[in-house]
Amino acid sequence: ADILIPRNALAHGRPEAHEDGGYLFRHRGKEFYFNDGTSLELRQTILRYKNTLSEILIALNNEQ
């Protein structure tokens, strides 16, 4: 949900300009507000998941 909801909103929603310079995306009843701050947060979340999944892969490879 941390990644898929924003991804789907950005990929399938239509941007609506927001008064503070960001954009509101709506998709399947969910809303995602996108601006510089949420962009940075989303990138950091993706990197965190990537690192965690890489650690899991390394641990699984070490058990073999």
Side-chain angles (χ1 to χ4, degrees), residues 33-52:
Y33 176 73
F34 187 77
N35 64 9
D36 290 341
T38 56
S39 173
L40 178 61
E41 290 173 21
L42 185 56
R43 284 194 307 264
Q44 289 172 340
T45 300
I46 290 168
L47 289 173
R48 211 169 36 251
Y49 276 98
K50 178 185 175 188
N51 290 336
T52 300

Side-chain angles (χ1 to χ4, degrees), residues 7-61:
R7 183 262 176 218
N8 288 339
L10 292 169
H12 302 293
R14 293 187 180 215
E16 300 172 22
H18 201 267
E19 59 198 37
D20 65 1
Y23 294 91
L24 182 63
F25 289 81
R26 290 187 175 103
H27 178 66
R28 294 192 175 180
K30 297 186 182 195
E31 294 183 347
F32 179 68
Y33 176 73
F34 187 77
N35 64 9
D36 290 341
T38 56
S39 173
L40 178 61
E41 290 173 21
L42 185 56
R43 284 194 307 264
Q44 289 172 340
T45 300
I46 290 168
L47 289 173
R48 211 169 36 251
Y49 276 98
K50 178 185 175 188
N51 290 336
T52 300
L53 292 171
S54 293
E55 290 172 8
I56 292 170
L57 184 59
I58 289 168
L60 290 173
N61 286 333

